[in-house]
Amino acid sequence: MDVNADLCPVTGKGTGNGTDVRIRRVYEDASADDGLRVLVDRLWPRGKSKQNAHIDMWLKDIAPSKALRSWFGHIPERFDEFASRYRRELDTNTEAVNRLRELIAGHPRVTLLYGAKDSEHNNAVVLRKYLLDAQVSQQEENTKKSA
């Protein structure tokens, strides 16, 4: 699965806003094509200085709650339930979600950074899909209204 494609993972349609939303492990070297680099973890990455991390913004308020993060424990078998619970948290965390949406709208490329070792089972994967799914739903609703 290419988590960095500019397509909705559900519909396969483009995001439509021209912004490429990517995810990358914060421990990987920064790339010139990362665009705006946003850390979306509640905790600062262990062993990374602010200078070496090359992070433009840290949005710790958009990360899963401490209780949810602790429950998940990065156990892959819990990922589906974790994703469901995290999406519910995001639904009620409108201030942080809207702040991230505004950042995304203002940049051609945004890279969501995470610290987890597992590239398929982490909060950034869920967050990116959440943002793209909401965008596709809004586009579909706008299409229905104009039809």
Side-chain angles (χ1 to χ4, degrees):
M1 175 172 96
D2 180 6
V3 296
N4 291 323
D6 194 21
L7 300 175
C8 172
V10 173
T11 66
K13 297 177 183 175
T15 59
N17 72 349
T19 299
D20 181 15
V21 179
R22 298 178 172 206
I23 63 172
R24 178 186 292 257
R25 191 164 187 249
V26 72
Y27 296 100
E28 295 174 12
D29 290 337
S31 172
D33 69 345
D34 281 345
L36 184 73
R37 292 171 50 91
V38 181
L39 179 63
V40 294
D41 283 348
R42 189 164 301 279
L43 303 175
W44 187 261
R46 188 177 297 164
K48 274 289 195 186
S49 70
K50 290 187 179 184
Q51 184 179 14
N52 290 340
H54 302 286
I55 292 171
D56 297 309
M57 183 160 292
W58 182 16
L59 295 181
K60 59 184 164 185
D61 291 341
I62 203 157
S65 66
K66 182 179 179 182
L68 180 56
R69 187 175 44 83
S70 295
W71 172 84
F72 174 46
H74 297 284
I75 299 169
E77 294 78 20
R78 292 184 178 176
F79 183 72
D80 289 341
E81 180 62 23
F82 166 78
S84 177
R85 291 181 187 188
Y86 182 35
R87 290 175 75 89
R88 285 195 301 269
E89 286 186 359
L90 291 168
D91 285 342
T92 62
N93 192 359
T94 55
E95 185 177 329
V97 170
N98 288 339
R99 184 169 183 210
L100 181 55
R101 284 184 176 140
E102 288 170 8
L103 285 171
I104 289 169
H107 294 85
R109 177 168 294 144
V110 174
T111 300
L112 305 177
L113 302 169
Y114 64 92
K117 292 178 183 176
D118 187 334
S119 64
E120 294 181 24
H121 304 101
N122 64 69
N123 63 300
V125 170
V126 177
L127 178 58
R128 180 179 183 276
K129 187 173 183 321
Y130 178 88
L131 293 166
L132 294 176
D133 287 351
Q135 191 170 26
V136 168
S137 295
Q138 183 63 47
Q139 289 171 352
E140 290 173 353
E141 188 173 311
N142 290 344
T143 301
K144 288 178 186 176
K145 287 180 182 177
S146 64

